[in-house]
Amino acid sequence: MILRRIVLAWAGLVIFWGAIHPSAWADETAASVSSPVVAVLDQEGVQRVRMVLDSYAYEPAHVVVQAGKPVELVLTSVTLLTPHNFVLKEGGLSIDQNVGAGQTLTVRFTPMQPGVWTFYCDKQLLFFKSHREKGMEGRLEVRP
Protein backbone atom coordinates (compact mmCIF):
# COMPACT_ATOMS: atom_id res chain seq x y z
CA MET A 1 0.00 0.00 0.00
CA ILE A 2 2.76 2.45 0.92
CA LEU A 3 4.81 1.47 -2.11
CA ARG A 4 1.79 2.05 -4.37
CA ARG A 5 1.31 5.56 -2.92
CA ILE A 6 4.99 6.36 -3.47
CA VAL A 7 4.82 5.16 -7.08
CA LEU A 8 1.62 7.14 -7.73
CA ALA A 9 3.09 10.27 -6.12
CA TRP A 10 6.26 9.95 -8.21
CA ALA A 11 4.23 9.39 -11.39
CA GLY A 12 2.17 12.46 -10.58
CA LEU A 13 5.31 14.56 -10.13
CA VAL A 14 6.75 13.35 -13.43
CA ILE A 15 3.49 14.04 -15.28
CA PHE A 16 3.20 17.48 -13.66
CA TRP A 17 6.79 18.35 -14.61
CA GLY A 18 6.22 17.20 -18.19
CA ALA A 19 3.06 19.26 -18.42
CA ILE A 20 4.64 22.47 -17.19
CA HIS A 21 7.94 21.89 -18.95
CA PRO A 22 7.41 19.72 -22.08
CA SER A 23 11.02 20.05 -23.20
CA ALA A 24 12.09 18.11 -20.09
CA TRP A 25 11.37 14.98 -22.10
CA ALA A 26 13.36 15.98 -25.17
CA ASP A 27 16.56 14.03 -25.64
CA GLU A 28 18.23 17.03 -27.14
CA THR A 29 17.17 20.63 -27.37
CA ALA A 30 18.53 22.70 -30.22
CA ALA A 31 20.88 25.42 -29.06
CA SER A 32 19.87 28.92 -29.95
CA VAL A 33 21.11 29.79 -33.41
CA SER A 34 21.49 33.52 -33.61
CA SER A 35 23.68 36.00 -35.36
CA PRO A 36 26.42 37.49 -33.20
CA VAL A 37 25.40 40.67 -31.40
CA VAL A 38 28.22 43.21 -31.39
CA ALA A 39 28.02 45.42 -28.32
CA VAL A 40 28.58 49.12 -28.99
CA LEU A 41 30.04 51.51 -26.44
CA ASP A 42 27.38 53.89 -25.19
CA GLN A 43 27.92 57.50 -24.06
CA GLU A 44 29.03 56.26 -20.64
CA GLY A 45 31.70 53.97 -22.13
CA VAL A 46 29.80 50.77 -21.28
CA GLN A 47 28.99 47.92 -23.65
CA ARG A 48 25.37 46.97 -22.87
CA VAL A 49 23.55 43.89 -24.13
CA ARG A 50 20.08 42.61 -23.27
CA MET A 51 19.90 38.82 -23.07
CA VAL A 52 16.82 36.61 -22.73
CA LEU A 53 17.06 33.31 -20.84
CA ASP A 54 14.37 30.92 -21.99
CA SER A 55 13.87 27.18 -21.87
CA TYR A 56 17.39 25.94 -22.57
CA ALA A 57 18.56 28.90 -24.65
CA TYR A 58 20.17 32.31 -24.40
CA GLU A 59 19.20 34.96 -26.93
CA PRO A 60 21.54 36.23 -28.22
CA ALA A 61 23.79 33.20 -27.82
CA HIS A 62 26.85 34.94 -29.27
CA VAL A 63 27.95 38.33 -27.96
CA VAL A 64 30.98 40.25 -29.21
CA VAL A 65 32.65 42.84 -26.95
CA GLN A 66 35.91 44.78 -26.75
CA ALA A 67 38.60 43.88 -24.23
CA GLY A 68 39.30 46.42 -21.51
CA LYS A 69 35.86 48.08 -21.74
CA PRO A 70 33.10 47.53 -19.15
CA VAL A 71 30.29 45.16 -20.14
CA GLU A 72 26.78 45.18 -18.72
CA LEU A 73 24.53 42.21 -19.50
CA VAL A 74 20.87 42.66 -18.63
CA LEU A 75 19.63 39.09 -18.13
CA THR A 76 15.88 38.43 -18.27
CA SER A 77 14.43 34.99 -17.58
CA VAL A 78 11.12 34.57 -19.41
CA THR A 79 10.35 31.15 -17.92
CA LEU A 80 7.43 30.77 -15.52
CA LEU A 81 8.87 28.24 -13.08
CA THR A 82 12.34 27.19 -14.19
CA PRO A 83 15.28 29.07 -12.67
CA HIS A 84 18.41 29.63 -14.74
CA ASN A 85 21.86 31.05 -14.20
CA PHE A 86 24.69 32.64 -16.13
CA VAL A 87 28.06 30.99 -15.57
CA LEU A 88 31.27 32.23 -17.22
CA LYS A 89 34.54 30.96 -15.77
CA GLU A 90 37.03 31.46 -18.58
CA GLY A 91 39.22 34.26 -19.87
CA GLY A 92 40.05 35.51 -16.40
CA LEU A 93 36.35 35.92 -15.52
CA SER A 94 34.49 34.23 -12.67
CA ILE A 95 30.75 34.89 -12.97
CA ASP A 96 28.03 32.68 -11.51
CA GLN A 97 24.77 34.60 -11.29
CA ASN A 98 21.35 33.05 -10.57
CA VAL A 99 18.36 34.42 -12.47
CA GLY A 100 15.08 33.28 -10.99
CA ALA A 101 12.05 32.54 -13.15
CA GLY A 102 10.56 35.80 -14.40
CA GLN A 103 13.40 37.92 -12.99
CA THR A 104 15.70 40.48 -14.58
CA LEU A 105 19.13 41.32 -13.25
CA THR A 106 22.30 42.97 -14.44
CA VAL A 107 25.79 41.46 -14.54
CA ARG A 108 28.76 43.83 -14.84
CA PHE A 109 32.33 42.89 -15.68
CA THR A 110 35.33 44.04 -17.69
CA PRO A 111 36.92 41.37 -19.89
CA MET A 112 40.65 41.92 -20.29
CA GLN A 113 41.74 38.82 -22.19
CA PRO A 114 40.80 38.48 -25.90
CA GLY A 115 39.35 35.12 -26.94
CA VAL A 116 36.09 33.21 -27.28
CA TRP A 117 34.66 32.07 -23.96
CA THR A 118 31.70 29.82 -23.24
CA PHE A 119 28.90 30.85 -20.88
CA TYR A 120 26.23 28.40 -19.78
CA CYS A 121 23.45 27.47 -17.36
CA ASP A 122 24.31 24.59 -15.04
CA LYS A 123 20.89 24.19 -13.39
CA GLN A 124 19.52 20.65 -13.21
CA LEU A 125 16.41 18.98 -11.81
CA LEU A 126 16.81 15.62 -10.13
CA PHE A 127 18.08 13.05 -12.63
CA PHE A 128 17.28 15.04 -15.80
CA LYS A 129 20.03 16.45 -18.00
CA SER A 130 21.47 19.80 -16.96
CA HIS A 131 20.36 22.87 -18.87
CA ARG A 132 23.83 23.05 -20.42
CA GLU A 133 23.54 19.44 -21.59
CA LYS A 134 20.25 20.44 -23.24
CA GLY A 135 22.00 23.19 -25.18
CA MET A 136 21.82 26.21 -22.89
CA GLU A 137 25.17 27.78 -23.60
CA GLY A 138 26.58 30.61 -25.64
CA ARG A 139 29.77 32.40 -26.60
CA LEU A 140 31.32 35.63 -25.41
CA GLU A 141 33.80 36.80 -28.02
CA VAL A 142 36.26 39.32 -26.63
CA ARG A 143 38.12 41.26 -29.30
CA PRO A 144 41.26 43.35 -28.75
Side-chain angles (χ1 to χ4, degrees):
M1 184 65 139
I2 293 174
L3 181 58
R4 182 173 183 223
R5 286 183 182 177
I6 292 171
V7 169
L8 289 174
W10 180 250
L13 175 64
V14 170
I15 290 169
F16 172 74
W17 176 253
I20 64 168
H21 216 328
S23 58
W25 297 107
D27 286 335
E28 293 185 30
T29 300
S32 176
V33 179
S34 64
S35 299
V37 169
V38 179
V40 179
L41 282 173
D42 65 12
Q43 295 173 348
E44 298 170 357
V46 177
Q47 303 172 91
R48 288 189 172 89
V49 176
R50 291 192 170 281
M51 185 176 290
V52 173
L53 289 67
D54 202 350
S55 295
Y56 314 117
Y58 292 98
E59 185 58 43
H62 186 170
V63 176
V64 180
V65 297
Q66 291 180 342
K69 310 282 187 204
V71 174
E72 186 174 282
L73 298 179
V74 179
L75 308 173
T76 300
S77 173
V78 295
T79 58
L80 296 175
L81 297 173
T82 307
H84 292 295
N85 64 0
F86 181 89
V87 179
L88 176 55
K89 297 198 178 210
E90 294 182 295
L93 299 169
S94 183
I95 302 166
D96 187 345
Q97 184 65 58
N98 288 316
V99 185
Q103 291 184 342
T104 296
L105 60 88
T106 302
V107 174
R108 294 176 184 89
F109 59 94
T110 302
M112 300 306 288
Q113 186 176 347
V116 179
W117 316 115
T118 302
F119 56 84
Y120 56 91
C121 176
D122 66 0
K123 296 293 186 184
Q124 182 174 7
L125 177 66
L126 300 173
F127 55 85
F128 294 104
K129 291 182 178 180
S130 73
H131 294 189
R132 184 179 192 184
E133 290 172 311
K134 290 184 172 206
M136 192 168 184
E137 67 177 37
R139 305 287 176 266
L140 177 71
E141 183 176 339
V142 181
R143 295 181 180 168

